[in-house]
Amino acid sequence: MAQIKKAEGQIEIKSHADKFFELWTRKSHLISEWCPEKYPKIELHEGSFHHSLGAVTTWHFIALGHHDFVKTKVAEIDEKNKFVIYNYFEGQGVLRSDYKSLKSKIQVIPKAEGCIVKWTFEYEKKSDDVPDAIIYVHFLLDCAKNIDARLCGA
């Protein structure tokens, strides 16, 4: 029987929530410039922005020693509550071979100073020996640290 699992994590950063959310959603091309060791290439295939509802993006990434890619489609976006939900529907490498289904949510939560970036993955493994998706949560939170450093001018 299929079992949907959940992996989540969060990190507190110094950047203003609006700045971080804008960069992730409207200026995603900068992610590959600012984090080329993690995201060497990001391609928009459908939609006017990476954050528009239904937008399809290919994220080329390097994680766990592998250069892979995944295609995502924006399933939901909420500008007021600063979150985006992505469905993953095509890819190469670990994500494709390990998971039957995969979706993620990034939420940026404002604080008096800075913000919290929270990533959540919901997924179904193809087998029990597949690693939990928490490894991708850590990968994305580490990327958020890199982006924060650039936004803060470090």
Side-chain angles (χ1 to χ4, degrees):
M1 180 192 287
Q3 183 181 9
I4 302 296
K5 295 187 175 225
K6 188 184 248 189
E8 57 188 358
Q10 63 184 35
I11 186 169
E12 189 171 332
I13 61 173
K14 295 176 185 173
S15 300
H16 190 276
D18 290 337
K19 278 185 159 183
F20 187 91
F21 190 73
E22 179 184 27
L23 180 105
W24 190 269
T25 58
R26 290 186 184 85
K27 299 177 181 177
S28 299
H29 62 281
L30 289 176
I31 296 169
S32 63
E33 292 176 28
W34 292 4
C35 303
E37 71 288 348
K38 294 185 183 316
Y39 286 106
K41 188 176 180 183
I42 299 170
E43 302 169 281
L44 177 65
H45 299 288
E46 295 177 27
S48 56
F49 289 104
H50 294 277
H51 80 290
S52 59
L53 191 61
V56 175
T57 303
T58 297
W59 303 79
H60 295 264
F61 65 96
I62 299 170
L64 306 173
H66 300 282
H67 185 166
D68 295 331
F69 75 86
V70 66
K71 276 191 179 177
T72 62
K73 186 172 191 171
V74 175
E76 185 177 346
I77 184 160
D78 185 327
E79 297 277 343
K80 182 181 176 192
N81 294 305
K82 295 181 181 27
F83 74 79
V84 181
I85 296 175
Y86 299 97
N87 286 325
Y88 294 65
F89 66 93
E90 189 177 308
Q92 163 185 305
V94 176
L95 288 173
R96 182 174 181 161
S97 63
D98 288 349
Y99 303 100
K100 290 181 185 177
S101 66
L102 185 66
K103 75 177 184 178
S104 68
K105 175 181 179 180
I106 180 174
Q107 184 169 17
V108 182
I109 304 160
K111 294 186 57 157
E113 289 187 31
C115 65
I116 294 171
V117 176
K118 181 177 181 180
W119 275 99
T120 305
F121 277 80
E122 290 184 6
Y123 58 97
E124 182 183 352
K125 295 180 182 186
K126 286 188 176 178
S127 69
D128 288 337
D129 58 336
V130 168
D132 287 325
I134 193 71
I135 56 178
Y136 298 106
V137 171
H138 294 306
F139 173 82
L140 288 162
L141 293 175
D142 193 46
C143 187
K145 279 194 266 185
N146 293 355
I147 292 168
D148 182 49
R150 290 296 294 261
L151 286 172
C152 292

